[in-house]
Amino acid sequence: MIKTVNLSKIFRADEVETTALENINFEVTKGEFVAIMGPSGCGKSTLLNIIGLLDNPNSGEYYFDGTEISRFTERQRTELRKGNIGFVFQNFNLIDELNVFENVELPLLALKVKGAERKKRVNELLEKMNIGHRRKHFPGQLSGGQQQRVAIARAVITNPGLILADEPTGNLDSANGEQVIQLLERLNDEHTTIVMVTHSQEHAERAHRIVNLFDGHIIHERIERKTFSIGQPSLLNI
């Protein structure tokens, strides 16, 4: 699903150059759950942004579902993101002026899904994620764990094949963080591909594979043991 070949990213400010990524060769197959770890500033979020088509590399190749897209224009990247990639962020990135229902509905508006279908899909997903009773509440009225559940619902409402999660438990206590990891595991059990940046070794070990970055280089990869659940209810069967 994802493949990078000698991918590099350099940030330039005035006369200063900072190499964020250098010659990254990285693959994720459909249905994998991959965790990316490393110290702050090692290039984790930069790699996630390129994978998520929020940024372009300076050199190298990036293949998404077999198409080389490293030189796509912003408009081309935006069109490819729609319905294909969902994002979950550490700071939730909910819109304060919109209630829970409206925040989750946003991606469907971008895809021009009809109103009745939007209402049905959003309400059913909110109930599956145990946040339906908060559908009319605004982000400021929710706990951190509830906000992250809403953010995950927004990420998966279009049934994307790929979820990118950047420190999804970073602002949560251990109990709420565990709930978020369990939600990601359930999505993965339903064949959604997940790439997660995390500082938590415990949460990383819930993935199929851990990729360690240091100073813009992949320095180590480890395959984790994972027990798959059979017959769990689908979050995406809406």
Side-chain angles (χ1 to χ4, degrees):
M1 185 176 203
I2 293 168
K3 180 180 180 181
T4 72
V5 180
N6 296 328
L7 197 74
S8 294
K9 179 66 179 181
I10 299 172
F11 292 104
R12 295 181 174 89
D14 297 325
E15 297 181 359
V16 178
E17 287 190 354
T18 301
T19 300
L21 298 171
E22 187 172 6
N23 296 327
I24 296 293
N25 294 287
F26 177 64
E27 289 190 51
V28 179
T29 60
K30 286 186 178 181
E32 265 198 298
F33 186 169
V34 177
I36 300 176
M37 299 193 72
S40 297
C42 71
K44 303 186 301 296
S45 293
T46 299
L47 179 57
L48 209 67
N49 286 340
I50 292 174
I51 292 171
L53 308 176
L54 298 175
D55 201 357
N56 270 345
N58 292 99
S59 62
E61 301 170 355
Y62 173 32
Y63 296 86
F64 186 88
D65 272 347
T67 300
E68 209 289 307
I69 60 173
S70 62
R71 295 297 176 265
F72 269 29
T73 65
E74 177 59 34
R75 176 174 292 184
Q76 288 174 313
R77 296 201 306 270
T78 298
E79 288 302 312
L80 186 56
R81 279 197 304 269
K82 288 180 183 179
N84 291 311
I85 303 175
F87 297 88
V88 180
F89 301 98
Q90 178 177 354
N91 294 321
F92 318 131
N93 285 11
L94 301 177
I95 298 175
D96 291 336
E97 294 76 18
L98 301 181
N99 63 31
V100 166
F101 182 98
E102 292 165 338
N103 267 281
V104 176
E105 181 187 34
L106 273 177
L108 297 180
L109 289 170
L111 292 176
K112 299 181 180 179
V113 176
K114 292 182 178 180
E117 177 66 12
R118 291 200 310 270
K119 182 177 180 179
K120 176 177 180 292
R121 292 175 66 175
V122 173
N123 282 330
E124 289 186 2
L125 181 57
L126 290 177
E127 290 299 327
K128 287 178 183 293
M129 299 193 70
N130 299 318
I131 200 72
H133 61 295
R134 299 288 191 180
R135 59 172 52 82
K136 296 301 182 182
H137 287 67
F138 290 87
Q141 298 173 301
L142 305 177
S143 68
Q146 289 171 333
Q147 289 188 60
Q148 194 61 294
R149 272 188 278 163
V150 174
I152 293 174
R154 182 183 59 188
V156 304
I157 190 64
T158 61
N159 293 339
L162 174 65
I163 295 292
L164 301 178
D166 194 354
E167 295 285 357
T169 64
N171 282 338
L172 303 177
D173 59 30
S174 59
N176 281 305
E178 174 62 22
Q179 290 182 6
V180 166
I181 291 298
Q182 288 180 5
L183 282 172
L184 294 176
E185 287 181 315
R186 287 176 62 189
L187 288 166
N188 182 244
D189 286 342
E190 295 298 324
H191 312 298
T192 301
T193 305
I194 296 175
V195 179
M196 176 181 69
V197 165
T198 182
H199 279 103
S200 169
Q201 183 69 39
E202 178 183 356
H203 291 162
E205 289 173 356
R206 307 278 281 274
H208 302 155
R209 179 161 53 100
I210 299 174
V211 176
N212 289 95
L213 288 181
F214 186 78
D215 285 350
H217 296 84
I218 292 177
I219 59 170
H220 182 66
E221 292 192 36
R222 184 170 83 248
I223 296 175
E224 293 297 314
R225 294 178 179 269
K226 182 176 174 67
T227 301
F228 292 92
S229 299
I230 304 298
Q232 285 186 313
S234 171
L235 283 174
L236 302 181
N237 186 21
I238 61 175

